[in-house]
Amino acid sequence: LQVEETLNPSVFVRIHRSFIVNLNKIDRISSQEVVIRNTELPLSRKYKKGVLEIFKNLSNKVYENSSN
């Protein structure tokens, strides 16, 4: 069993073949990297679209919840 398969996909996301991160711990995201506690991790082209889509959906949910 792969470790990735045991992680909750609504909390953890793969950003690179070598990195899976907790979405709640990300401080900043750019087109090429993800920053967690001043540590810059690469955001690979392969996973970039999916990661950015997740963040877009998360920011929409936060906005919707704050407007209630």
Side-chain angles (χ1 to χ4, degrees), residues 60-68:
N60 287 341
K61 287 181 184 179
V62 169
Y63 178 75
E64 289 169 2
N65 289 337
S66 66
S67 65
N68 289 337

Side-chain angles (χ1 to χ4, degrees), residues 31-48:
S31 62
Q32 297 179 338
E33 66 186 17
V34 172
V35 178
I36 298 176
R37 299 174 119 197
N38 295 322
T39 301
E40 298 171 353
L41 303 171
L43 174 59
S44 74
R45 290 179 293 184
K46 180 177 180 179
Y47 298 103
K48 180 179 172 179

Side-chain angles (χ1 to χ4, degrees), residues 1-48:
L1 188 66
Q2 297 290 331
V3 173
E4 185 174 5
E5 294 171 359
T6 66
L7 299 173
N8 182 343
S10 65
V11 177
F12 293 90
V13 64
R14 181 171 291 280
I15 62 167
H16 187 275
R17 68 179 177 171
S18 300
F19 297 101
I20 299 172
V21 299
N22 182 326
L23 292 168
N24 300 312
K25 301 296 182 182
I26 296 175
D27 296 319
R28 190 173 69 246
I29 188 168
S30 73
S31 62
Q32 297 179 338
E33 66 186 17
V34 172
V35 178
I36 298 176
R37 299 174 119 197
N38 295 322
T39 301
E40 298 171 353
L41 303 171
L43 174 59
S44 74
R45 290 179 293 184
K46 180 177 180 179
Y47 298 103
K48 180 179 172 179

